[in-house]
Amino acid sequence: MRMVTVLLLAALLTAAGLTGPALARTAPLVTAKEVYLVDVTSGTVQFAKRETRRAPVASLTKIMTAYVVRHSASLDDVVTVSRADVRHAASSGATRAGLRAGERLTVRDLLYALLLPSGADASNALARRYGPGVQRFVAKMNRAAAALGLRDTVYTNPDGLPQTGGDHSTARDQVALARIVLKDPVIAAVVRTPRHAVTRTGAHRAHAWHNTNRLLPGEAEGLKTGYTRAAGYCLMFVSVVGGHTMVGVLLGDTSDAARYRTARRLLTTATARAAPRDV
């Protein structure tokens, strides 16, 4: 009877799309459609659910935008925000950093505007400058994805907004990208910052940008949130538990609150696995 129960449980987990270590242990309840969690310290997969299924990733796209900018620009470069940048974010109903036409900001500050409030105005300004032009910038994003071995990743814009053309990635590819960008000390510092302020310059008001990642501060050290109707609620996160660095990605969760519940359950389970055991 016990063997039958075990086999039935394994069959149910497989049908739910769970693979790897999750089959051998009690799996945390997750509501996201695709999930991948890796213990970078030990090199082990802690949880996997449809991790190779292609899906839209919403504003997680902006992590690649930041990566390309870091390879194209100096942090002290000054970019002038255009009316088109502001109009792009406003007309699409995207999240904005509150940039104003004519405003001059450094690339360093625009990275905060891009990654904390997830400003589509900032992504457009950076892409327009460092493509040059948005289409050329997207081509750079796709070349970078190919060079980094992200074989199931295609970008159609620098902000992750729905667009005809079929942009997609996978939870596994996004974890791989997260591990790469965390090696960049600038991006790593930006994504773990809860709040960044820009003092008033010239005729323009100051900015105060808050990180949309509600695991900060304390539960995580970055990275990025994302949402569109097509992608659902997405989250890329990194956390240190029990001396182990965990990098995870959730795609297609059911609500803003659900993605954080899922992440916390995954981290709680990973903490228990990483804890030393009496022998």
Side-chain angles (χ1 to χ4, degrees):
M1 179 63 71
R2 182 178 179 182
M3 179 59 69
V4 171
T5 302
V6 170
L7 290 174
L8 178 59
L9 177 60
L12 290 172
L13 290 172
T14 301
L18 306 182
T19 60
L23 289 174
R25 303 180 178 93
T26 301
L29 174 65
V30 301
T31 49
K33 292 179 179 178
E34 298 87 26
V35 183
Y36 200 51
L37 179 68
V38 174
D39 181 341
V40 176
T41 304
S42 67
T44 59
V45 176
Q46 292 293 301
F47 192 91
K49 175 184 177 182
R50 301 188 183 97
E51 72 278 11
T52 61
R53 180 178 179 271
R54 292 179 175 181
V57 298
S59 284
L60 301 194
T61 295
K62 295 182 178 105
I63 292 294
M64 179 59 87
T65 299
Y67 176 86
V68 172
V69 168
R70 286 287 290 138
H71 287 78
S72 305
S74 167
L75 292 173
D76 295 324
D77 285 354
V78 175
V79 177
T80 301
V81 178
S82 72
R83 287 187 177 88
D85 301 327
V86 177
R87 187 167 56 248
H88 167 74
S91 64
S92 60
T95 50
R96 289 171 271 175
L99 305 184
R100 294 168 290 274
E103 190 170 12
R104 290 166 55 82
L105 292 164
T106 65
V107 166
R108 184 188 299 274
D109 283 332
L110 283 172
L111 286 173
Y112 282 98
L114 175 75
L115 297 175
L116 270 63
S118 198
D121 42 5
S123 64
N124 205 76
L126 289 166
R128 178 178 50 78
R129 170 70 179 273
Y130 293 105
V134 172
Q135 289 185 344
R136 290 181 179 177
F137 189 88
V138 173
K140 286 184 176 181
M141 294 170 69
N142 285 315
R143 286 197 296 270
L148 296 174
L150 309 181
R151 298 179 180 178
D152 293 303
T153 298
V154 173
Y155 297 104
T156 57
N157 58 45
D159 46 42
L161 289 168
Q163 182 173 319
T164 302
D167 62 302
H168 59 258
S169 187
T170 66
R172 186 169 66 181
D173 271 8
Q174 289 297 296
V175 165
L177 177 60
R179 295 178 66 175
I180 291 163
V181 300
L182 285 170
K183 296 176 183 177
D184 182 325
V186 173
I187 296 179
V190 171
V191 297
R192 68 170 175 260
T193 302
R195 179 182 182 275
H196 180 75
V198 178
T199 58
R200 182 186 180 98
T201 56
H204 297 288
R205 301 190 306 272
H207 292 286
W209 295 309
H210 296 268
N211 202 316
T212 58
N213 185 349
R214 286 165 48 196
L215 295 179
L216 295 174
E219 294 180 271
E221 299 182 7
L223 291 155
K224 188 75 185 69
T225 63
Y227 170 77
T228 63
R229 184 175 297 179
Y233 291 85
C234 305
L235 181 64
M236 177 188 288
F237 60 96
V238 57
S239 184
V240 178
V241 295
H244 290 240
T245 299
M246 306 287 174
V247 178
V249 166
L250 318 175
L251 304 177
D253 219 331
T254 56
S255 70
D256 179 49
R259 63 181 160 191
Y260 296 111
R261 285 196 299 267
T262 298
R264 289 176 177 123
R265 287 167 180 159
L266 290 167
L267 291 173
T268 297
T269 302
T271 301
R273 292 174 183 168
R277 292 176 171 81
D278 294 332
V279 295

